[in-house]
Amino acid sequence: MSLILGIDTSCDDTSFAVLDTHKGSILSNVVSSQTKIHIEHGGIVPELASRAHLENLSAVFNESLHLAGINLSDLNAVAVTNTPGLIGCLLVGTSFARGLALRLGVPLYGVNHLEGHLFSPFIGASEIPFPFLGLVVSGGHTAFYQVDAVDQIKLVGQTVDDAAGEAFDKCAKMMGLGYPGGPVIDKLALSGRDNAFAFTIAKVKMGEQYLSFSGLKTAAFQHLQKINTALDDGLKNDFSASVQKAIVTTLCQKMDYFLTQHSYRAVAVSGGVAMNSLLRKQAGVVCSRRGVLCRVAEPAFCTDNGAMIAFVASLSSHKDQLFELQTLATKKTPVKRGVAQSK
Ligand code: KG4
Ligand code: ZN
């Protein structure tokens, strides 16, 4: 049995997970969310986030071993997110991981957080169908990747302004709903009419490979100004359904476009917004029309989690991407900046 401990402290979730690489199963995946700490500030405060990681770390770590039913000495490797993320938060996780790996005398893997999301739809799958089109969609990222192999990842498209999750959050805020807004909009939309408010799907002049959500935010603001009264429940539902439809249509139209650009075997959708019920459904519709497999990350692996970090380490380990302890902070990220020109 080979057991990898996966650690993610890149943003506002402290997460530890244990992956059994032989069975290909996650034995535990414990996440401690800091939403309550940051909610009163209307966003994440980096200093508070780092401190909360320090406070939570031991309890979450112990719980992950306990739920996995293993002892500390059973661990065969440690994997930790080393980029991208809030630097203070990353340092808490990487310092802990270094100390632990040294103490146990086991290998240490530095994992790119975005690669964690990108591969998360395949946790527990018997194989990864390369090449696949990856959509990472969260509060900070909205990007499409062409993934030809574990270490061949090409950014092919991304938002030029807001991330899709940010669009959900900002529209929810305009309606006076809480943070994070995505889950609330998802729920209210179930009882709303998605054609009650008109939104146009943005076309970005820079090229077909780009997406934009800032116009949607402005349009949402203008719609609400026109209403000019307090929103009753019916209007909130209608507005949520219309906003959600616009965001999901933007993502799915782009997904469809990329499927015409390359011969993909699958689409993999990941990140916090992959929790969205309409996106989960519509991604399946696009994929079946194009005859490709659709994999959407399991809800537990959509938001930040240690399981996806351990999983990427397990994929990379046989490819000799092992990190020397000293070079942990200097791992070159294979996810490149800038969008590759589409054909
Ligand atoms: O991946 P994540 O936990 O954090 C990062 O941004 O890295 O994603 C959080 C984002 C938030 O913007 C939140 O509103 C959105 O994911 N989200 C959703 C849903 N659940 C979470 N958006 C739409 N529908 C949901 N059900
Ligand atoms: Zn994330």
Side-chain angles (χ1 to χ4, degrees):
M1 185 158 77
S2 188
L3 300 175
I4 303 182
L5 179 74
I7 305 173
D8 187 86
T9 62
S10 58
C11 192
D12 61 340
D13 291 312
T14 313
S15 181
F16 280 71
V18 178
L19 166 73
D20 178 339
T21 60
H22 287 175
K23 286 194 200 137
S25 60
I26 300 295
L27 303 185
S28 68
N29 184 41
V30 184
V31 183
S32 168
S33 166
Q34 300 177 7
T35 303
K36 280 194 188 132
I37 297 173
H38 302 290
I39 206 161
E40 60 183 276
H41 303 280
I44 296 161
V45 184
E47 178 66 16
L48 294 180
S50 324
R51 286 171 188 266
H53 283 308
L54 263 180
E55 280 162 23
N56 296 337
L57 202 97
S58 305
V60 179
F61 171 51
N62 288 330
E63 181 73 357
S64 70
L65 296 185
H66 175 71
L67 288 181
I70 61 161
N71 295 314
L72 186 60
S73 56
D74 294 329
L75 291 171
N76 303 104
V78 177
V80 63
T81 300
N82 65 347
T83 191
L86 299 170
I87 189 66
C89 297
L90 289 170
L91 276 170
V92 174
T94 53
S95 306
F96 179 86
R98 277 172 187 240
L100 184 65
L102 270 172
R103 150 84 170 72
L104 296 175
V106 299
L108 177 65
Y109 299 89
V111 174
N112 181 299
H113 181 79
L114 291 176
E115 284 180 45
H117 279 303
L118 199 49
F119 287 97
S120 63
F122 299 106
I123 295 175
S126 52
E127 63 140 4
I128 298 179
F130 295 112
F132 71 82
L133 174 70
L135 165 59
V136 179
V137 62
S138 70
H141 297 95
T142 298
F144 286 90
Y145 298 90
Q146 177 183 322
V147 186
D148 291 310
V150 172
D151 53 359
Q152 283 176 40
I153 302 168
K154 188 165 84 177
L155 179 65
V156 290
Q158 65 182 338
T159 177
V160 290
D161 38 56
D162 293 347
E166 222 173 328
F168 272 111
D169 294 338
K170 286 177 180 169
C171 290
K173 198 171 176 185
M174 285 179 211
M175 283 190 279
L177 306 173
Y179 174 88
V184 191
I185 288 188
D186 195 349
K187 193 164 161 234
L188 297 187
L190 293 174
S191 318
R193 295 168 300 158
D194 65 11
N195 58 355
F197 295 90
F199 289 99
T200 44
I201 305 301
K203 272 207 167 289
V204 183
K205 280 192 192 133
M206 280 159 70
E208 269 291 312
Q209 66 271 46
Y210 294 99
L211 306 87
S212 166
F213 291 102
S214 63
L216 186 138
K217 192 178 59 192
T218 312
F221 182 71
Q222 286 166 348
H223 278 310
L224 291 177
Q225 273 198 323
K226 268 188 220 148
I227 296 171
N228 204 20
T229 58
L231 289 180
D232 62 21
D233 287 350
L235 277 175
K236 280 185 187 167
N237 295 344
D238 285 350
F239 197 72
S240 296
S242 304
V243 162
Q244 176 175 267
K245 186 182 168 205
I247 296 173
V248 170
T249 305
T250 305
L251 294 169
C252 287
Q253 279 186 359
K254 209 47 77 177
M255 181 185 292
D256 194 55
Y257 162 74
F258 283 116
L259 288 175
T260 64
Q261 299 300 298
H262 190 75
S263 183
Y264 292 106
R265 287 176 64 204
V267 170
V269 188
S270 59
V273 180
M275 301 269 268
N276 184 266
S277 54
L278 185 66
L279 177 60
R280 297 179 84 86
K281 195 166 116 199
Q282 290 305 114
V285 172
V286 172
C287 290
S288 65
R289 210 168 43 217
R290 294 282 173 196
V292 297
L293 182 74
C294 183
R295 295 281 308 203
V296 186
E298 274 182 36
F301 305 139
C302 283
T303 47
D304 293 348
N305 64 88
M308 66 186 191
I309 302 307
F311 183 62
V312 168
S314 76
L315 299 173
S316 313
S317 55
H318 63 278
K319 290 197 171 287
D320 204 24
Q321 290 192 359
L322 187 64
F323 280 77
E324 292 303 326
L325 289 172
Q326 299 88 316
T327 61
L328 177 68
T330 60
K331 188 197 172 187
K332 199 160 80 29
T333 164
V335 181
K336 295 188 186 76
R337 294 238 165 259
V339 175
Q341 289 303 304
S342 63
K343 284 176 271 171

